[in-house]
Each structure stands twice: as structure tokens, then as C-alpha cells.
Amino acid sequence: MCGISGEARFDGRPPDAAAVTRMTEAMRSRGPDDEGLCADDWVILGHRRLTIIDLSDAGGQPMVRDDLGLALVFNGCVYNYPELREELHNAGYAFHSTSDTEVILVAYAHWGERFVDHLVGMFAIGLVDRNRRRLVLARDRLGIKPLYLAETPGRLRFASTLPALLRAGDVDTGIDPVALHHYLSWHSIVPAPRTVLRGVRKLPPATVRVIEADGRSREQVYWQPDYVREPADAGMDAADWRAAIGDALRTAVRRRLVADVPVGVLLSGGLDSSLIVALLAEAGQEHLRTFSIGFDSRGDESGDEFHYSDLVARAYDTDHHRIRLADDDLAPAVRRAVLAMTEPMGSHDVVAFHLLSEQVARHVKVAQSGQGADEVFAGYGYHQPLTGAPRHGAAETFAAAFFDRDHDELRAIVGPAYTLDHDASRDLLTEHLAAPGAQTALDAVLRLDTHLMLPDDPVKRVDSMSMAWGLEVRTPFLDQDLVTLAAHCPPEHKVAQGGKGVLKEVAREVLPAEVIDRPKGYFPVPALRNVDGPVRELVAEALQAPVARERGLFRPEYVARLLAEPDRAEAAAGSNKLWQLGLLELWLQTHDIR
């Protein structure tokens, strides 16, 4: 787990080492243990290292193999690197380290651009093929590790974070109106390749981009499971699917133990993280370090789920850490969390993850977490009405349940300079849901959730907040083999029992029923959910700042209505909208974007 950066020039000028140094330094928190640069005549690579596998200098980056004509920077972890190393060694290759980094480099030497097909893990890669004068960029299948791009005539820069690209300079920081439309429609999600800034794009998940030294480039999507029933699975009943999903999840959890440092678990007390703890205990892991966080309650709204996390910790004798924070801790943490965001993230629990990661990083460098289970196994409430919906009606059903605002409402909110004459979010939704490779309406929505929405919501949120503290978080529910198997699983097994039915059946083999059958919970942060007190003052200050008025993202009359005290019936909805708008302005101002 690290921070990577680089610059390629196509105009005959040397790459800017000072700019890459600034990008690398901006990601010190992602890799506090070491740094390095590697330059050729047309491309330069930068790296910040967090030592997880092969703690010696031999595992450092950028990694160069002169005998192979290759140089590499890499962020992430390849879980099957021991098996790949043995296979490549048997094919005649020598190794000079015990790192997964070198395995990637040799895999490219052996398989060429298809090397990604052999990698099981999470990764963002920048590889220089010196013999072919080629730069290869790649991102893992589920987009767990980020890769941002800034292109101008004659130059390409890339980095693990958007703020790192800003630090390099010469970025078009104008607001992308389509990205703004997505942000305000989809719970602050801006799917790849867009970002909220016109001059920065994201390499999409499961994509390899090859850039030649003359500036020509091509992209290829190397993985996309079909959400259809396979003939080979026709004879499987509910028990068979439970067994298959259980076996795949056990493999996913074991894979994510590979490390030369201890691995902990972020234990919320919900089904997903509790199941990870149970399966690790089943696999023989003793005295696991587990971590839970809680906040002040507000009225009838609890600020923690310690009852359930304590129950699981006791059941499996974990070394459990309860972290309780007061409302007074939140306002300062909002500013720090915004600074750590690779993009604006309007979910209220992003601050909680930032605070949790700060505490966890004091004890471990690696932790497993339950992100992705709801998207992969139909755990959200809006999945239920899609069960019997006609295939052509998926967009309407999803939009009614998921969209924050419709296009007409957006036109009344967004400033004139950013108003679109077409419904960009609905158009993109319809396009994805109508694409071939999904058998039912629910299949199409689960594919959308997992491959378009997920990388730019919970996955990005957890990566940004954990890496701000040099903490590597691994997500077994996003294991590529588990996701492929779940895509083929009949939807009725997933939506059963109110959602995640097949996962609940797996859990019944190892978890107490009280944890499985409890009401669905979310990361509870009442003070942020209600946007009051110092947090409200912070948001109001951002929205009313002179730079915000000059930018004109939002119509002044709409902002004034949001800032007025809402009546009790509209408090929750109004506060969420206030937080979403204020967070965007706060992020832009934090990064001095005008």
C-alpha cells in the first residue's frame, strides 16, 4: 500500500522531476516509510512506500529490472503473489526480493499486457517498458486502488490522489458540469472516468491503458463478469449456493492475511465485518485485533453499535478496542477528513472512518473490512422492489429509490453556468442498465452498484480515510472470484431474508443469530447526520464564503433556504442536502480551487 505518481512527456521535453517530487511528497501519509524516484528520458516515476510485504530495501520502489528493461511503481497488494512467484520461477525467471511488487514486474515480462489477468488483489500500477518505449497503467478489477490522470498537450501525469496532481500544478480546475450533476444526483458519487474537475480523470476499474512515447494511447477493459445464470449451475439449489458462496468467502478472507505484519479487523458489529471475524477465527487466527468506533447519541438515535461488536469480540476472544468519541471531536475532524479526501465525498460517515483509521493505525498497518457486501449481495432496501420488476423498468425503479434529486430539481439548484440542458445522470444510468450481460432488472442494478457506483463511494471513502493514516484496508467481499460467483447466483437467493439472504445462511454456520437477524445498521454519527452545532457553522461558512459566491455553483436563494432553520419534518432530508453541498464547497476551498 503506497502512493504512486509519474509524468510522461511526448513533446521531446524532459519530464519535470520537481513536479513528480511534489506529487510524491503530497502522498507522504500513504507511504510514510520510504520514497523514491526513477527517471528515463521521457517518463519519470515517483513512489511513497508503506512496508507491508518484504520489509527490506529489496522491496523498495520504483523497482527497476535492467535485465528485463522494466521499471515499476505499484500501490496495493497482490494476494496470490507466492503462487505466481513459484510459477514464474519455474518458467526460468530469477527474483531479487520476496515482494509482490517484483512478481508484478516479472509477470509483465512473461505475459505482456495480459499480466493483469493473473493478478488477484487490489492494485494501481505504473510500468515503464523501456525496450518498447511504452507506459502501462492498470487498475484492479473493482477499483479498490485509485489512479488519477491529468493530461495536457504533450504531457500525461498520474497519481494515487487528485490533490497530488494539484500539487504538481498546471491543472484545469474548472468544475465539470456533468460530474456536478452526478454528485448531486447519486449520493455524491462521480463515476469514472470523470472527477468534479475538468482537468482530472480517473482510470476506470478493470482497465489497462497503454501509452506510447509519441503520445498515442489505447485502453482495454480486461474483466467484466456477466450477471446471468450459467448452464453449469442449473442443478444448484439454495444449499449448494450457500456452500459455494461460503467456500469462496473463506478463500477471500484467507487471501487477505498475506502480510509480513499483523492484520486486524474493523468490526462494526454488523453482519459483514462480524462474518469476517468469525471466518478468520474458524481459519485458526487467534487473538485478532478488532476495532469499533462510537459517537454521542442524539435523542432516540444511538451513536454506536457496541452491543453487537462486543458480542462478536467475546464470542471469538479478540483483542478488542472500543473507540468512543464525543461531538466535540467532530468539527476539527471534518476539516482533516476533507483534506484527506481524494475527491469530495458527501457521506456523513467519511469523517467516522477518518477518526477510526487514526486510532487503528496506532496498533496495526493492515485491517480487513466489510465494504462491498451490500452491493454484491443485494443488501440495500431499494434492491427488494427490483425483484419482480421488468428488465426495461429497472431504471425507473432504481431512480425512484436512489436518486437524491431529479433533473428538474437540479436545474433549480445549480448556478446558470453549470446547468445542463439534458439529464446526464439519468442518461448514464439508462445506458448501463440496458447494456447486455444482465439477465434480470435486479442483475442489472447489482452490476451497476458493484462496478460503477461502489468504486466511487464506499471503496474510495475507505481507501482515502485509511491511507491518510498509513493504514491498509482489505475488502474480502470484493474478491474477484467471489464477485464473479455472486454475479451468477440467482437474485432470489440474494434478496431473501430482507437482503443478503445467501450470506446470512453462510453466517448461520459461524455467528450468533442475534448478529445475523438484527435490524440493518449504518455507521451512526448523529451529529453529522443532523448537521448541527459547530459542524453546521463550518458548512454554512463554506457556502457563504466570498469564493463560493464568486464560483456560483449553487443558486443563492436555494442556499439561503437550506441554511434557514428547517422545520422538524424536513430536518433529516434538509440536513443531508446541506451537508452534501457544503462538503463540496469545503473541499474546493480546502484545496484552494477557485
Side-chain angles (χ1 to χ4, degrees):
M1 287 292 269
C2 308
I4 67 173
S5 61
E7 176 177 310
R9 299 295 303 224
F10 318 117
D11 55 6
R13 299 174 62 184
D16 188 342
V20 176
T21 298
R22 290 195 298 273
M23 287 194 288
T24 305
E25 179 60 26
M27 298 183 292
R28 178 178 290 270
S29 67
R30 293 184 72 90
D33 298 328
D34 199 5
E35 64 181 337
L37 292 178
C38 171
D40 282 356
D41 63 329
W42 70 283
V43 63
I44 183 169
L45 303 177
H47 188 262
R48 291 291 321 189
R49 186 183 184 196
L50 177 66
T51 51
I52 300 294
I53 294 173
D54 189 348
L55 310 185
S56 74
D57 290 343
Q61 299 183 47
M63 183 172 284
V64 179
R65 284 283 299 261
D66 289 327
D67 57 327
L68 301 176
L70 301 174
L72 173 75
V73 287
F74 150 62
N75 167 32
C77 183
V78 176
Y79 304 125
N80 67 329
Y81 83 94
E83 296 88 345
L84 287 178
R85 178 189 172 96
E86 182 178 0
E87 181 179 353
L88 292 164
H89 177 76
N90 292 338
Y93 292 93
F95 288 85
H96 309 300
S97 73
T98 59
S99 68
D100 55 343
T101 305
E102 191 173 17
V103 169
I104 296 173
L105 192 149
V106 176
Y108 176 85
H110 188 61
W111 287 299
E113 293 172 24
R114 303 306 308 184
F115 76 113
V116 288
D117 294 339
H118 302 266
L119 307 181
V120 176
M122 54 181 182
F123 50 83
I125 294 168
L127 183 150
V128 178
D129 186 332
R130 290 170 162 175
N131 297 331
R132 296 179 177 85
R133 293 182 61 78
R134 178 177 291 170
L135 171 65
V136 179
L137 303 177
R139 195 171 175 204
D140 66 71
R141 292 164 179 80
L142 278 305
I144 301 168
K145 303 315 299 177
L147 193 57
Y148 291 87
L149 313 174
E151 297 184 70
T152 55
R155 186 187 69 205
L156 167 69
R157 287 176 178 159
F158 65 88
S160 294
T161 74
L162 191 159
L165 289 173
L166 294 176
R167 188 75 62 87
D170 194 22
V171 175
D172 179 357
T173 57
I175 302 299
D176 180 337
V178 173
L180 179 62
H181 199 285
H182 296 335
Y183 177 90
L184 295 172
S185 298
W186 291 337
H187 306 350
S188 311
I189 298 171
V190 178
R194 294 182 185 275
T195 76
V196 73
L197 302 184
R198 285 197 305 254
V200 181
R201 291 293 180 257
K202 293 172 285 207
L203 188 71
T207 299
V208 173
R209 183 174 180 183
V210 179
I211 303 104
E212 309 292 348
D214 62 5
R216 290 177 298 132
S217 70
R218 50 189 167 84
E219 283 190 2
Q220 179 181 1
V221 176
Y222 64 88
W223 181 80
Q224 173 60 67
D226 284 332
Y227 281 64
V228 298
R229 315 291 81 79
E230 294 290 323
D233 301 332
M236 294 180 65
D237 60 14
D240 295 325
W241 279 109
R242 181 196 66 223
I245 295 293
D247 289 345
L249 182 57
R250 287 175 170 88
T251 297
V253 168
R254 287 196 302 271
R255 280 174 171 168
R256 284 153 182 80
L257 286 173
V258 60
D260 293 330
V261 295
V263 178
V265 180
L266 306 183
L267 177 60
S268 69
L271 170 69
D272 312 325
S273 60
S274 299
L275 185 51
I276 291 172
V277 171
L279 294 181
L280 285 170
E282 182 187 75
Q285 295 294 307
E286 297 182 348
H287 306 298
L288 275 170
R289 293 182 181 180
T290 55
F291 305 86
S292 302
I293 193 169
F295 298 89
D296 289 344
S297 299
R298 186 67 57 85
D300 295 333
E301 185 178 9
S302 174
D304 68 72
E305 296 188 318
F306 287 153
H307 170 75
Y308 296 103
S309 58
D310 287 352
L311 190 158
V312 174
R314 286 194 301 269
Y316 297 101
D317 192 26
T318 72
D319 178 9
H320 189 54
H321 300 256
R322 260 191 184 201
I323 302 162
R324 179 176 287 283
L325 298 168
D327 285 354
D328 291 343
D329 298 311
L330 286 174
V334 169
R335 288 195 180 277
R336 297 197 301 271
V338 170
L339 184 62
M341 292 178 184
T342 53
E343 296 177 67
M345 303 174 199
S347 171
H348 69 273
D349 62 5
V350 68
V351 181
F353 271 111
H354 188 267
L355 290 165
L356 175 62
S357 297
E358 178 184 14
Q359 300 298 321
V360 174
R362 297 175 180 176
H363 302 274
V364 295
K365 280 188 171 183
V366 183
Q368 296 198 27
S369 183
Q371 272 67 43
D374 287 302
E375 289 82 359
V376 173
F377 289 101
Y380 293 126
Y382 63 77
H383 290 134
Q384 297 296 319
L386 286 157
T387 306
R391 181 75 169 80
H392 65 271
E396 191 65 38
T397 303
F398 179 83
F402 187 83
F403 274 37
D404 295 317
R405 306 166 178 87
D406 63 25
H407 181 61
D408 288 339
E409 186 178 356
L410 278 179
R411 289 174 62 87
I413 293 172
V414 175
Y418 306 101
T419 300
L420 298 178
D421 60 3
H422 64 289
D423 191 342
S425 300
R426 186 60 176 264
D427 291 346
L428 182 59
L429 171 70
T430 302
E431 175 188 346
H432 274 263
L433 292 181
Q439 190 165 329
T440 69
L442 183 55
D443 284 318
V445 167
L446 290 174
R447 179 180 62 183
L448 178 91
D449 277 343
T450 302
H451 302 280
L452 188 73
M453 302 292 193
L454 177 72
D456 282 291
D457 187 20
V459 166
K460 180 171 66 183
R461 183 190 325 152
V462 172
D463 178 79
S464 296
M465 297 302 104
S466 61
M467 291 306 293
W469 300 102
L471 174 68
E472 173 176 311
V473 174
R474 300 174 175 179
T475 50
F477 289 104
L478 297 181
D479 183 271
Q480 63 202 56
D481 296 329
L482 178 62
V483 170
T484 299
L485 181 65
H488 296 158
C489 179
E492 59 267 23
H493 297 317
K494 289 179 273 193
V495 296
Q497 303 179 48
K500 296 191 287 194
V502 64
L503 208 57
K504 290 176 179 176
E505 288 304 306
V506 172
R508 294 188 194 285
E509 301 171 355
V510 291
L511 276 177
E514 185 179 358
V515 175
I516 300 168
D517 297 321
R518 54 164 292 191
K520 181 174 177 59
Y522 295 90
F523 219 143
V525 194
L528 291 183
R529 192 189 300 274
N530 293 289
V531 193
D532 54 16
V535 174
R536 183 181 181 83
E537 293 173 8
L538 184 64
V539 168
E541 179 184 350
L543 286 170
Q544 293 174 315
V547 67
R549 292 197 297 269
E550 183 178 347
R551 194 184 340 265
L553 280 182
F554 311 116
R555 296 180 185 270
E557 62 273 18
Y558 179 77
V559 172
R561 285 200 304 272
L562 275 185
L563 290 174
E565 286 295 329
D567 64 36
R568 188 174 299 275
E570 296 178 349
S575 294
N576 286 334
K577 291 176 180 178
L578 179 61
W579 171 254
Q580 188 184 45
L581 271 61
L583 190 283
L584 174 56
E585 259 301 337
L586 188 59
W587 185 87
L588 293 170
Q589 293 169 32
T590 297
H591 294 288
D592 198 25
I593 295 170
R594 298 179 180 273

